[in-house]
């Protein structure tokens, strides 16, 4: 009986152990099934995500491909997937180059030097395939290739035969003005870089202004070198950069058309900083209300930052001493009062000296004088008694004088490179080359200017308004020319405008004016542009009005115009019959007023008041 109970007990124990093993095995199977299910879910989800990504990429490729053309994935998924990474990158670069090359052809179509344009921009695109994907990138590239070419020319200057002190000094002018050109090309590039495509067209005024100056600087370099082999070498060396600058001007002039030919990028909302930039463009901060009021405030009412007085009663005895002590990083306009006196010094206001105002006690009381001249071996560029290069320069009631005399030929009293510069009630006295309006936008009001040969010359966009222009007695055998404008490219936005002025003979010239012929101007460069409008012209001016430079040079490419002038010398019936000379009508004359020609609305309008007249007078 006990044995039976023992056997039964052992049997139940074995059954319990079996059940326990079965339960453990069951749990293991369930665990394995759960793990497999989880892995399967992960794989399914991963496959779904991959499918969505792949479909999205196919959609993008389909948009990029031409109508009716299969996407790149549909064409060759397997072969593309099997390509190494460097090959895929190379294919992308090739595609970028192809896209940019098409844009290059479109942009170069408007230029005069298409081969130079396509060759140089093409090289840039191949060297920088990833940074030339938008039209504005290629506009920046157009400026960059000019910079590269200029730097190459100047770095290789040892090939020029500068074998005399005069040539070496002249080449210093080249280095200086080409350095200025590089700075302004950089400004152009930065302006394009900080603007979206839609805003670029609004910056055409500044871009044209800077690029016109770059063209002018290269001509200034060539003109500085004495006639001979060295001059021809430098002219040849600058040929490509000159063509590239011309191309850049052409591209900017056609910018609206060029930009409209490319797909517009997605429009973005204006950021707060961009909104602020737009406000600054509409109301420029370079000239504040107080600065504008300087145009109609007499010097004693305007508190100066420093005073220059030759007698020692001011902060400095010379103008150069005052400029040497200019505070660094000065904010706003810096006003220098120059008391009555004759200051015998040559003054250079450098490009770093911006927003400087100089106020005198009167144009015949505060006089800055010098006598440097070309006959004594000084390049014309360096003969200036006073040179203003820093942007935003203003001068009021000051006399600028060069006393070298007519026998010394080129002798500049005032050279102005300053952009948005203003001269009020100033006096410029000299003989040949008195006032050198070198570059950029300049405005003169109520000034007195005297001279003989080409005595208002240069390649700025300059308007002389309500000025007295007196022709002086020249040397025997000379002919007087009031202007010699130097525009060398038809797209430069430069020119000389004499508006509501008076052109007269001075006291010494008046009794002998029959012995000397005098003219309104002659063409210094191929696309010389001068407009005389609403001006009183005395009989000092020959009935032909204008004088050739040499032979037929520039007679068909220049633009000389007259509008609504008066006085005995204003009759146009006997004027020259050149193709480039015009008697214009009112609708065209308006283009040469302060607003459109100088973009004066942005830097002269507002609280300027009476000293600036924006429209035609009649």
């Amino acid at each position: 009986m006990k044995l039976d109970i023992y056997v039964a007990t052992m049997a139940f124990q074995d059954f319990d152990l079996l059940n326990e093993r079965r339960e453990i095995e069951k749990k293991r199977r369930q665990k394995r099934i759960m793990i497999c299910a989880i892995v399967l879910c992960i794989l399914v989800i991963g496959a779904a995500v991959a499918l969505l990504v792949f479909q999205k990429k196919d959609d993008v490729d389909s948009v990029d491909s031409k109508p009716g053309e299969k996407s790149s994935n549909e064409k060759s998924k397997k072969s593309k997937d099997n390509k190494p990474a460097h090959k895929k990158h190379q294919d992308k670069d090739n595609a970028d180059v192809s896209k940019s090359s098409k844009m290059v052809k479109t942009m170069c179509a408007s230029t005069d030097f298409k081969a130079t344009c396509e060759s140089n921009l093409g090289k840039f695109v191949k060297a920088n395939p990833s940074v030339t994907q938008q039209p504005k990138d290629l506009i920046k590239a157009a400026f960059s290739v000019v910079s590269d070419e200029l730097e190459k020319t100047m770095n290789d200057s040892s090939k020029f035969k500068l074998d005399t002190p005069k040539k070496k000094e002249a080449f210093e002018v080249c280095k200086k003005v080409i350095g200025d050109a590089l700075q302004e090309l950089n400004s152009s590039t930065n302006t394009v870089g900080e603007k979206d495509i839609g805003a670029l067209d609004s910056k055409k005024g500044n871009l044209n202004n800077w690029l016109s100056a770059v063209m002018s600087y290269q001509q200034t370099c060539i003109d500085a070198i004495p006639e001979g082999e060295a001059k021809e070498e430098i002219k040849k060396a600058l040929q490509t950069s000159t063509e590239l600058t011309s191309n850049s001007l052409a591209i900017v002039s056609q910018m609206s058309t060029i930009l409209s030919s490319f797909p517009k990028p997605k429009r973005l909302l204006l950021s707060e900083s961009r909104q602020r930039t737009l406000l600054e463009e509409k109301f420029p901060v370079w000239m504040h209300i107080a600065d504008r009021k300087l145009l109609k405030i007499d010097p004693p009412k305007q508190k100066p930052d420093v005073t220059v007085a030759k007698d020692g009663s001011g902060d400095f005895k010379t103008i150069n001493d005052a400029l040497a002590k200019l505070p660094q990083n000065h904010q706003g306009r810096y006003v220098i009062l120059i008391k009555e006196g004759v200051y015998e010094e040559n003054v250079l206001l450098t490009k770093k000296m911006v927003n400087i105002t100089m106020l005198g006690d009167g144009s015949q009381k505060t006089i800055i004088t010098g006598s440097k001249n070309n006959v004594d071996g000084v390049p014309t560029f360096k003969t200036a008694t006073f040179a203003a290069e820093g942007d935003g320069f203003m001068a009021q009631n000051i006399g600028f004088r060069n006393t070298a005399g007519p026998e010394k030929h080129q002798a500049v009293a005032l050279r102005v490179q300053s952009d948005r510069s203003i001269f009020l009630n100033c006096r410029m006295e000299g003989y040949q080359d008195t006032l050198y309006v070198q570059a950029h936008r300049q405005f003169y009001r109520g000034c007195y200017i005297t001279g003989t040969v080409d005595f208002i010359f240069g390649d700025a966009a300059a308007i002389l308004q309500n000025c007295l222009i007196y022709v002086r007695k020249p040397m025997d055998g000379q002919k007087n020319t009031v202007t010699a404008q130097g525009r060398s490219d038809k797209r430069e936005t430069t020119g000389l405008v004499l508006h509501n002025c008076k052109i007269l003979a001075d006291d010494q010239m008046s009794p002998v004016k029959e012995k000397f012929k005098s003219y309104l101007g002659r063409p210094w460069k191929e696309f010389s542009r001068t407009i005389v409008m609403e001006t009183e012209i005395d009989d000092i001016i020959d009935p032909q009005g204008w004088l050739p430079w040499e032979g037929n040079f520039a007679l068909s490419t220049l633009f000389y115009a007259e509008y609504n002038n008066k006085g005995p010398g204003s009759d146009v019936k006997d004027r020259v019959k050149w193709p480039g000379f015009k008697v214009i009508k009112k609708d065209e004359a308006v283009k040469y007023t302060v607003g459109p020609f100088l973009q004066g609305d942005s830097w002269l309008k507002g609280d300027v008041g009476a000293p600036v007249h924006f429209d035609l007078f009649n």
Side-chain angles (χ1 to χ4, degrees):
M1 183 71 174
K2 290 181 180 179
L3 179 60
D4 292 336
I5 293 172
Y6 175 77
V7 170
T9 300
M10 291 300 296
F12 278 106
Q13 287 177 344
D14 288 342
F15 183 76
D16 289 338
L17 289 171
L18 180 61
N19 284 342
E20 183 177 352
R21 286 196 297 272
R22 286 176 177 173
E23 285 296 321
I24 291 171
E25 186 64 22
K26 182 179 179 180
K27 288 179 180 178
R28 286 177 178 171
R29 284 198 301 271
Q30 289 175 343
K31 188 174 182 180
R32 283 195 296 269
I33 290 171
M34 186 176 294
I35 291 171
C36 289
I38 291 170
V39 171
L40 184 61
C41 286
I42 291 172
L43 291 173
V44 170
I45 292 170
V49 171
L51 181 61
L52 287 173
V53 171
F54 217 54
Q55 286 176 339
K56 187 174 182 180
K57 188 173 187 303
D58 281 346
D59 291 340
V60 172
D61 287 346
S62 297
V63 171
D64 288 342
S65 61
K66 297 178 181 177
E69 183 183 4
K70 290 185 177 181
S71 69
S72 56
N73 281 346
E74 291 174 337
K75 289 177 180 177
S76 181
K77 289 182 181 177
K78 184 176 179 181
S79 61
K80 187 173 182 179
D81 290 340
N82 290 336
K83 286 182 181 179
H86 75 275
K87 183 64 176 175
K88 293 178 184 177
H89 184 71
Q90 185 178 17
D91 288 347
K92 183 180 183 302
D93 283 352
N94 290 339
D96 289 344
V97 169
S98 177
K99 177 182 176 183
S100 297
S101 296
K102 292 177 182 177
M103 287 196 289
V104 165
K105 285 190 174 294
T106 300
M107 296 185 78
C108 291
S110 63
T111 65
D112 291 339
F113 305 98
K114 291 183 181 63
T116 303
C117 182
E118 291 182 5
S119 173
N120 284 270
L121 275 183
K123 289 177 184 176
F124 188 92
V125 164
K126 288 181 181 179
N128 305 275
S130 62
V131 298
T132 52
Q133 296 305 297
Q134 296 295 330
K136 77 171 187 176
D137 297 330
L138 284 181
I139 294 173
K140 288 168 60 178
F143 303 156
S144 295
V145 295
V146 183
S147 296
D148 293 344
E149 186 65 29
L150 285 174
E151 287 180 341
K152 184 177 74 173
T153 299
M154 299 311 291
N155 290 338
D156 198 22
S157 61
S158 59
K159 66 181 180 181
F160 303 135
K161 295 179 181 178
L162 306 171
D163 50 4
T164 66
K166 189 173 182 179
K167 290 178 184 177
K168 290 177 181 177
E169 186 173 6
F171 193 71
E172 290 300 312
V173 174
C174 281
K175 291 194 289 188
K176 195 272 177 201
V177 293
I178 297 303
D180 291 343
L182 292 172
Q183 287 184 36
E184 296 186 31
L185 285 165
N186 185 56
S187 296
S188 301
T189 302
N190 290 340
T191 294
V192 172
E194 70 189 18
K195 302 292 176 186
D196 58 51
I197 290 178
L200 269 182
D201 204 45
S202 66
K203 306 306 294 183
K204 280 179 65 174
N206 282 337
L207 293 173
N208 278 323
N209 171 53
W210 291 324
L211 292 172
S212 295
V214 171
M215 181 66 77
S216 177
Y217 293 145
Q218 293 173 78
Q219 292 300 313
T220 300
C221 168
I222 294 168
D223 292 334
I225 307 299
E227 293 294 333
E229 187 177 356
K231 189 183 193 78
E232 292 305 313
E233 288 173 347
I234 290 174
K235 186 176 181 179
K236 184 178 179 180
L238 289 173
Q239 181 177 344
T240 299
S241 60
T242 300
E243 291 180 359
L244 290 170
T245 307
S246 174
N247 289 341
S248 295
L249 279 164
I251 289 169
V252 170
S253 69
Q254 297 294 316
M255 193 153 55
S256 298
T257 303
I258 291 170
L259 294 178
S260 66
S261 67
F262 297 107
K264 293 182 179 180
K266 184 179 178 181
R267 186 175 180 180
L268 300 175
L269 293 175
L270 288 176
S271 65
E272 182 181 346
S273 62
R274 174 64 185 142
Q275 292 177 30
R276 185 163 57 249
T277 301
L278 286 176
L279 285 173
E280 289 175 357
E281 288 170 0
K282 186 175 181 182
F283 303 105
V285 297
W286 83 274
M287 181 182 283
H288 299 289
I289 290 176
D291 301 328
R292 290 169 174 167
K293 286 181 178 178
L294 276 174
L295 294 176
K296 55 183 178 181
I297 291 178
D298 293 330
K301 296 179 183 178
Q302 175 65 32
K303 184 179 179 181
D305 291 287
V306 294
T307 299
V308 177
K310 192 172 183 179
D311 61 8
S313 61
D315 302 294
F316 303 97
K317 288 186 176 182
T318 71
I319 300 165
N320 279 314
D321 285 345
L323 292 177
K325 298 295 183 180
L326 283 177
Q328 297 294 317
N329 303 317
H330 179 77
Q331 298 298 313
R333 186 158 290 278
Y334 192 79
V335 180
I336 302 173
L337 175 62
I338 307 172
K339 287 190 172 182
E340 181 176 354
V342 177
Y343 296 84
E344 298 177 4
E345 50 182 318
N346 289 86
V347 179
L348 172 60
L349 191 100
T350 68
K351 283 180 72 70
K352 294 181 179 179
M353 300 175 182
V354 299
N355 293 338
I356 304 295
T357 292
M358 290 188 178
L359 304 174
D361 282 338
S363 64
Q364 297 188 75
K365 293 181 178 179
T366 298
I367 299 169
I368 307 168
T369 185
S371 59
K372 288 185 177 181
N373 61 85
N374 190 254
V375 170
D376 289 345
V378 181
T380 303
F381 183 88
K382 290 188 173 185
T383 63
T385 300
F386 189 102
E389 297 180 353
D391 289 351
F393 178 69
M394 297 172 63
Q396 185 174 0
N397 297 344
I398 297 175
F400 305 93
R401 184 183 291 171
N402 191 309
T403 60
E407 66 279 359
K408 294 292 187 176
H409 298 290
Q410 296 95 333
V412 177
L414 173 65
R415 174 173 66 84
V416 184
Q417 184 182 327
S418 168
D419 190 22
R420 302 165 305 190
S421 51
I422 301 169
F423 292 81
L424 298 173
N425 302 322
C426 289
R427 194 177 181 96
M428 300 82 171
E429 297 180 70
Y431 286 87
Q432 184 170 345
D433 294 358
T434 303
L435 173 58
Y436 185 2
V437 290
Q438 183 195 341
H440 299 124
R441 295 164 288 197
Q442 305 176 18
F443 177 71
Y444 299 77
R445 172 81 182 201
C447 293
Y448 180 104
I449 306 157
T450 70
T452 54
V453 179
D454 305 337
F455 65 95
I456 304 172
F457 78 109
D459 193 24
I463 292 182
L464 283 63
Q465 192 175 93
N466 289 27
C467 292
L468 295 174
I469 300 170
Y470 279 95
V471 180
R472 304 179 85 167
K473 180 183 175 183
M475 293 181 3
D476 289 343
Q478 283 187 327
K479 296 175 182 177
N480 290 321
T481 42
V482 176
T483 68
Q485 205 280 328
R487 191 170 67 135
S488 59
D489 187 273
K490 64 184 177 184
R491 293 186 180 89
E492 284 186 73
T493 54
T494 58
L496 266 172
V497 180
L498 309 184
H499 189 197
N500 200 46
C501 295
K502 291 185 178 182
I503 302 174
L504 309 164
D506 79 349
D507 290 343
Q508 290 186 342
M509 177 64 172
S510 189
V512 295
K513 61 186 177 183
E514 300 297 333
K515 297 180 180 179
F516 302 95
K517 289 198 174 218
S518 300
Y519 300 87
L520 292 172
R522 59 177 181 157
W524 183 26
K525 301 295 179 183
E526 188 175 1
F527 295 93
S528 181
R529 178 162 62 178
T530 302
I531 299 91
V532 182
M533 57 190 195
E534 299 187 307
T535 288
E536 182 180 331
I537 305 175
D538 196 10
D539 61 1
I540 181 71
I541 297 300
D542 188 87
Q544 289 191 10
W546 307 85
L547 181 71
W549 185 270
E550 184 178 5
N552 293 323
F553 171 74
L555 301 187
S556 60
T557 53
L558 58 78
F559 181 80
Y560 285 169
E562 295 184 51
Y563 169 74
N564 200 25
N565 296 314
K566 57 187 176 181
S570 66
D571 193 340
V572 297
K573 69 177 181 359
D574 291 325
R575 288 293 194 254
V576 293
K577 308 303 179 186
W578 306 339
F581 172 74
K582 311 289 181 186
V583 177
I584 59 176
K585 296 182 178 179
K586 184 174 183 178
D587 59 345
E588 189 163 8
V590 169
K591 298 175 184 178
Y592 300 102
T593 54
V594 171
F597 194 61
L598 299 182
Q599 296 86 55
D601 291 347
S602 66
W603 58 282
L604 285 169
K605 206 165 189 175
D607 295 300
V608 171
V612 180
H613 191 85
F614 283 86
D615 303 312
L616 294 171
F617 285 87
N618 296 301

